[in-house]
Amino acid sequence: MTGRSRSAVGPDYPLVPPTPRELQVEVTGACNLRCRMCLVRYAPAVGRREGALSYERFRDLVDALPALTRLTLQGLGEPLLAPHLLDMLRYAADRKVEAGFNTNGVLLDRGWARDLIAAGTGWVHVSLDGATAATYQDVRHSTTFAPRPGQFDLVVENLRVLLAERAAAGGPRPVVKLVFVAMRRNIAELPDLVGLAADLGVDELWVQNLSHTFDDTDPTGRYADIRAYAAEEGLAEDVELLTRAFGAATATAEARGLRVRLPSTVDRRPPVRTDGPGCTWPWDSAYVTHLGEVQPCCMVMGSDRATLGRLGDQPFTAIWQGEEYQRFRAALLTDEPPAVCRGCALYRRTF
């Protein structure tokens, strides 16, 4: 083990913890959009058929974790493209496991809304990275794919429909949140988005920074484009701009009675932080790709960066308890974490 060990937290974070109560599973690698801040834009396209996680593998994975209570069914792909999504949600509900996902909302029509409610979906988070069609279109489409005018209005209408169907069903589920990724190109619209979210009647607006800097990767390698984009658009270092934008958003939210979650503007990388490991994901949860690759978290984005095992080779519990996972956890108990963690917004607590 390298780095300065924080012995004060060691006893609370064993290298072989109990199997997780939470899990994130990428139910598909296919996506209908190519968003600027997502690895999907910078990688070869994945077809709907080859990108699908099989229902059998999903069921085996869930059955192997008897303590499971929460299941997030999303990854780099769009969950509504997963052919077995409703079956997975129903299976989770039968197991008394709360399950939900994040969607871009383009496909979330009335039929989907009714099916998701009937399946017992715990939450549906919808990405909306702007308060105007122009900004949304700029973020949610690439220059190599033909733009589709009207998708901003479509997503907003789909949100209205989902909330109306939930009201008609008479229950509080699914919880509906908007998710906004703060970037230089859209941060000015955050206060207006608060107003839109309040008008729609969503349960909360979740604001986050870009998830990773990718500065642990080769500047000329396969992550060069997304690394450059993160460096150009990232706001975590611009405390003054964030403070101003978050202040305006908070004032609007308070006036409209909307719950808003904002990321921290304080970078708390070690050695400043001494209250625990740099991140508790590898003790609390895991991320499984549609190919069965087991990774320490969803923030990695790229199976070549931190895959700790594969379900085709070993059962999940063997991977969870294995030497690769133990080494990863051990490094997080020091001030020299795995390289992939150093540019992570969650590790830095600016996510």
Side-chain angles (χ1 to χ4, degrees):
M1 185 188 303
T2 60
R4 189 176 73 252
S5 176
R6 298 192 200 98
S7 58
V9 302
D12 297 325
Y13 295 93
L15 298 187
V16 183
T19 54
R21 297 172 61 86
E22 300 183 13
L23 193 67
Q24 181 164 341
V25 180
E26 183 185 57
V27 292
T28 180
C31 194
N32 55 329
L33 297 183
R34 297 294 184 271
C35 305
R36 290 183 181 274
M37 66 290 190
C38 181
L39 187 60
V40 167
R41 176 187 172 103
Y42 307 96
V46 176
R48 187 170 181 175
R49 177 174 296 180
E50 65 265 30
L53 176 73
S54 73
Y55 181 62
E56 292 73 22
R57 173 165 282 179
F58 166 82
R59 190 178 56 200
D60 290 345
L61 178 60
V62 172
D63 289 347
L65 300 172
L68 196 64
T69 61
R70 184 176 175 87
L71 187 58
T72 300
L73 301 178
Q74 72 191 55
L76 290 176
E78 166 53 46
L80 296 182
L81 290 175
H84 309 294
L85 179 63
L86 288 172
D87 291 331
M88 293 170 175
L89 288 164
R90 295 186 192 106
Y91 193 75
D94 289 344
R95 283 278 313 273
K96 302 297 188 292
V97 176
E98 187 178 30
F101 57 92
N102 192 103
T103 172
N104 59 46
V106 173
L107 304 175
L108 188 57
D109 59 14
R110 191 175 300 276
W112 264 115
R114 290 175 175 173
D115 287 344
L116 292 171
I117 292 167
T121 307
W123 70 91
V124 175
H125 298 172
V126 179
S127 293
L128 202 62
D129 299 306
T132 65
T135 296
Y136 174 89
Q137 193 83 359
D138 176 56
V139 172
R140 290 276 155 184
H141 289 282
S142 77
T143 56
T144 56
F145 287 77
R148 299 175 186 174
Q151 285 198 160
F152 174 79
D153 294 331
L154 174 62
V155 173
V156 171
E157 179 59 24
N158 286 347
L159 274 161
R160 288 196 178 99
V161 168
L162 174 61
L163 290 162
E165 290 295 333
R166 185 182 71 174
R173 295 288 189 271
V175 173
V176 179
K177 298 182 183 181
L178 285 188
V179 178
F180 175 86
V181 180
M183 296 171 280
R184 293 193 182 278
R185 66 181 60 237
N186 66 0
I187 190 64
E189 294 190 4
L190 179 56
D192 288 339
L193 185 64
V194 172
L196 175 60
D199 290 340
L200 287 168
V202 299
D203 299 302
E204 185 176 353
L205 171 61
W206 177 287
V207 180
Q208 65 188 55
N209 283 314
L210 292 173
S211 62
H212 212 288
T213 64
F214 293 90
D215 58 6
D216 61 295
T217 63
D218 181 354
T220 62
R222 62 173 294 201
Y223 296 97
D225 290 338
I226 194 169
R227 174 175 173 159
Y229 182 82
E232 180 180 345
E233 289 289 329
L235 290 168
E237 305 291 342
D238 199 333
V239 176
E240 182 178 351
L241 178 57
L242 283 178
T243 301
R244 186 167 60 249
F246 291 171
T250 298
T252 304
E254 290 176 350
R256 299 297 306 275
L258 177 72
R259 291 199 305 272
V260 175
R261 179 270 184 190
L262 298 170
S264 173
T265 57
V266 179
D267 191 328
R268 299 186 63 210
R269 282 171 291 185
V272 175
R273 186 172 67 253
T274 58
D275 58 339
C279 175
T280 64
W281 248 92
W283 284 266
D284 301 333
S285 184
Y287 177 71
V288 181
T289 74
H290 71 279
L291 296 173
E293 298 151 331
V294 179
Q295 298 186 288
C297 72
C298 68
M299 309 290 278
V300 170
M301 286 197 288
S303 58
D304 59 324
R305 301 176 74 207
T307 292
L308 304 178
R310 291 173 174 79
L311 293 182
D313 301 329
Q314 292 177 286
F316 178 85
T317 51
I319 297 169
W320 179 258
Q321 298 167 358
E323 292 183 2
E324 288 292 325
Y325 241 118
Q326 291 187 51
R327 280 194 289 269
F328 198 92
R329 295 184 186 110
L332 280 171
L333 292 173
T334 77
D335 291 336
E336 294 182 19
V340 73
C341 299
R342 295 170 192 168
C344 172
L346 196 59
Y347 180 81
R348 297 163 65 170
R349 298 194 182 177
T350 59
F351 186 64

